[in-house]
Amino acid sequence: MNAVQYWWQPPLPTSRRSCLFRTVIERPRRIWSIASTFLNNSSSFSSCVNCFGPMCTSYSINSYNLWELTSAEVTSLKARPRIDSSKIFSVVNPIIDDIRSRGDAAVKEYTARFDKVELEKIVVNVSDLPDAELDATVREAFDVAYDNIYAFHVAQKSPEKSIENMKGVRCKRVARSIGSVGLYVPGGTAVLPSTALMLAVPAQIAGCRTVVLATPPSQDGSICKEVLYCAKKAGVTHILKAGGAQAIAAMAWGTESCPKVEKIFGPGNQYVTAAKMIVQNSEAMVSIDMPAGPSEVLVIADKYTNPVHIAADLLSQAEHGPDSQAVLVIAGDGVDIKAIEEEIIKQCGSLPRGEFASKALSHSFIVFARDMFEAVSFSNSFAPEHLIINVKDAEKWESFIENAGSVFLGQWTPESVGDYASGTNHVLPTYGYARMYGGVCLDSFQKYITVQSLTEEGLRNLGPYVAVMAEVEGLEAHKRAVTLRLEDVEAKQASNVQ
């Protein structure tokens, strides 16, 4: 036996720690740990092997009673796993500098090194590519997703409004698309054509003229056919066959073949995220959609929820990767914790990405809340990327939610529908950034310009107040820009009278 424990433990006092899953009534201390073993002759591990195959990962999930924790302990509990950003930045910075200096040649070298693919061209025009051939069932699924995403985002268009604040003083705000945008679609352990739709559709609606989609190439140098189908349908203009920090750098600085973009969107691993943050604070003059971290979900459950659904929702997020996080909040008494435990073990064992899921669960946790008010309060302080409220009369709690990337209400609303095809966007703030950021939307691909126009009457009405304020601030030129015009207006009026 070779057991390996994967831990991320919030720094709570030892007396406050307990292992997963206590019964709701007595809540005795109890361990739920799935052992990681190499297949051997010991019958004591047969149940583990039967569930998970020759090798599976050991993990224990900690649980806490919210009412027993101090505010400082709650703060520690909601903190995300720390990432050594200085180490990551030291890896990413040289890549960005190299791409800036050597352009296409450097991108090709990094693609060969990291993706093991030798490329002749790193950028292709989408219009030059043949249509992707998909199975009819797959094509229909992506078409439905496209239609729903389009409908939801086109509804976000704001009508232009012009307001006359004072007689002769008219103001308005107009929307203009960002001219060139870069869309990062991850590859790696999972290809995500759904992300291509989530990013390209609002860019299409906004009217962005240049849309560069970056995604790692397949081993033969081709683009995933589902990604290509979504890119063509949603109006992408260029595909950059690269991933990681090198793709972000190429879009930020531009290369011989890759257009420079003005804003970069999309999720990615810690190196992609670091690259986005670096280029945003560089001379590249590029912005990003939001800071991001590992994917996460918080599920609020009560005694009316189906344990099968709860387990599936937790695992659907945990399977993204070993750094994902799934948090379960139990609201009130009567929840069948043992049934949830059994379902997680059962479902995790049959997942192709079960090893990723089990590692992710190792730094996840459960909290017990006395009621829904305490549960929602904790969720607001945690600010999850995805929030599932799987309780009776879930809709009535919507108005109490203040911090979340996207919310899923009721027993028939799994997080998966938002990931794929309900219409909402799945590019969302993680790592607690939902406290101050929203997810990608139509506005993300636009900028707003304010416009004002004054008539002579308007300047006479407003000008004197502006002159006073400029004088208070000691900005004489500001004052004169108004008063000299007012003098011209007065002179004109005097001339007319004569």
Side-chain angles (χ1 to χ4, degrees):
M1 172 182 169
N2 182 5
V4 182
Q5 288 276 4
Y6 293 86
W7 284 96
W8 175 73
Q9 172 64 56
L12 298 182
T14 303
S15 61
R16 301 286 176 109
R17 293 178 187 166
S18 61
C19 293
L20 176 69
F21 291 141
R22 298 173 276 185
T23 62
V24 174
I25 298 175
E26 297 180 352
R27 295 184 183 160
R29 289 175 180 263
R30 176 167 181 245
I31 295 177
W32 175 42
S33 180
I34 301 174
S36 173
T37 91
F38 290 104
L39 184 59
N40 56 33
N41 296 324
S42 172
S43 60
S44 62
F45 294 101
S46 61
S47 61
C48 175
V49 172
N50 288 337
C51 287
F52 291 90
M55 180 178 175
C56 62
T57 303
S58 170
Y59 60 91
S60 298
I61 303 181
N62 295 295
S63 62
Y64 310 91
N65 292 328
L66 275 177
W67 60 90
E68 293 178 354
L69 304 180
T70 66
S71 59
E73 289 167 350
V74 171
T75 298
S76 296
L77 186 61
K78 69 187 182 184
R80 276 37 170 205
R82 293 182 179 179
I83 297 174
D84 187 352
S85 58
S86 61
K87 182 177 180 181
I88 294 170
F89 275 51
S90 68
V91 173
V92 171
N93 263 313
I95 295 174
I96 293 175
D97 291 341
D98 197 18
I99 299 297
R100 181 184 182 185
S101 299
R102 298 195 298 121
D104 284 359
V107 175
K108 290 178 182 179
E109 288 180 15
Y110 288 113
T111 302
R113 183 191 306 179
F114 299 131
D115 299 314
K116 312 303 179 187
V117 181
E118 299 283 348
L119 296 174
E120 290 185 10
K121 294 175 60 178
I122 64 169
V123 174
V124 292
N125 293 327
V126 174
S127 60
D128 295 337
L129 297 173
D131 293 339
E133 296 183 5
L134 302 184
D135 176 84
T137 302
V138 174
R139 185 174 62 251
E140 182 182 14
F142 281 104
D143 287 346
V144 168
Y146 173 89
D147 290 343
N148 287 347
I149 295 167
Y150 192 98
F152 184 74
H153 288 77
V154 78
Q156 297 170 22
K157 281 190 173 183
S158 301
E160 186 177 297
K161 293 183 178 179
S162 180
I163 300 173
E164 189 174 44
N165 299 323
M166 300 174 69
K167 187 67 173 176
V169 179
R170 185 165 292 279
C171 299
K172 65 178 179 180
R173 190 177 75 151
V174 297
R176 297 289 184 267
S177 64
I178 297 174
S180 56
V181 295
L183 317 179
Y184 187 83
V185 176
T189 61
V191 180
L192 302 177
S194 58
T195 300
L197 286 179
M198 295 291 174
L199 296 175
V201 171
Q204 182 182 38
I205 295 169
C208 301
R209 293 184 298 277
T210 301
V211 181
V212 181
L213 186 152
T215 192
S218 303
Q219 288 300 302
D220 62 358
S222 65
I223 301 299
C224 165
K225 61 183 180 179
E226 291 84 5
V227 171
L228 176 58
Y229 179 81
C230 295
K232 295 199 88 173
K233 190 174 184 69
V236 170
T237 59
H238 302 74
I239 293 182
L240 168 63
K241 295 193 282 188
Q246 60 270 25
I248 301 301
M251 292 189 291
W253 290 104
T255 69
E256 299 92 322
S257 63
C258 182
K260 176 186 168 23
V261 303
E262 293 161 334
K263 189 171 183 179
I264 297 174
F265 298 80
N269 62 22
Q270 54 195 2
Y271 297 99
V272 170
T273 300
K276 288 170 66 178
M277 295 174 70
I278 290 170
V279 297
Q280 179 180 232
N281 292 288
S282 72
E283 297 174 356
M285 288 292 290
V286 66
S287 67
I288 65 173
D289 47 2
M290 68 191 80
S295 195
E296 59 195 24
V297 67
L298 186 148
V299 180
I300 300 178
D302 66 4
K303 63 182 179 181
Y304 300 102
T305 55
N306 186 329
V308 174
H309 299 171
I310 297 301
D313 287 338
L314 293 169
L315 289 168
S316 70
Q317 203 61 37
E319 75 171 350
H320 271 295
D323 55 356
S324 298
Q325 191 171 29
V327 177
L328 176 60
V329 180
I330 301 298
D333 293 338
V335 178
D336 192 343
I337 297 294
K338 188 175 187 299
I340 296 175
E341 166 192 341
E342 292 172 349
E343 274 300 320
I344 291 178
I345 295 173
K346 175 183 175 182
Q347 293 183 34
C348 187
S350 63
L351 290 174
R353 297 170 65 87
E355 186 176 357
F356 287 144
S358 62
K359 289 180 181 179
L361 289 175
S362 72
H363 48 251
S364 301
F365 60 91
I366 296 173
V367 294
F368 292 90
R370 286 169 291 193
D371 53 34
M372 273 298 293
F373 289 101
E374 191 170 54
V376 171
S377 176
F378 176 78
S379 176
N380 281 331
S381 65
F382 189 82
E385 176 189 17
H386 304 100
L387 169 60
I388 298 174
I389 304 181
N390 192 342
V391 301
K392 185 179 181 180
D393 300 326
E395 289 76 11
K396 77 177 187 180
W397 297 101
E398 178 187 344
S399 62
F400 292 89
I401 303 304
E402 296 178 356
N403 302 318
S406 190
V407 181
F408 304 82
L409 296 174
Q411 63 174 326
W412 307 117
T413 317
E415 184 265 339
S416 307
V417 298
D419 267 355
Y420 290 108
S422 67
T424 61
N425 207 291
H426 78 199
V427 182
L428 303 165
T430 67
Y431 225 71
Y433 282 108
R435 296 184 189 92
M436 68 288 291
Y437 285 90
V440 165
C441 61
L442 180 61
D443 277 359
S444 305
F445 294 84
Q446 298 176 321
K447 69 264 188 178
Y448 285 90
I449 304 169
T450 55
V451 181
Q452 50 260 295
S453 61
L454 276 65
T455 62
E456 287 186 8
E457 182 183 10
L459 186 62
R460 289 200 307 271
N461 291 335
L462 182 61
Y465 302 109
V466 174
V468 170
M469 295 176 70
E471 185 173 356
V472 168
E473 293 187 352
L475 299 175
E476 182 63 23
H478 280 66
K479 177 182 176 181
R480 290 181 184 177
V482 172
T483 56
L484 291 174
R485 282 179 169 83
L486 288 175
E487 290 173 5
D488 288 344
V489 170
E490 292 175 359
K492 181 180 177 181
Q493 288 179 329
S495 176
N496 289 338
V497 170
Q498 292 177 358

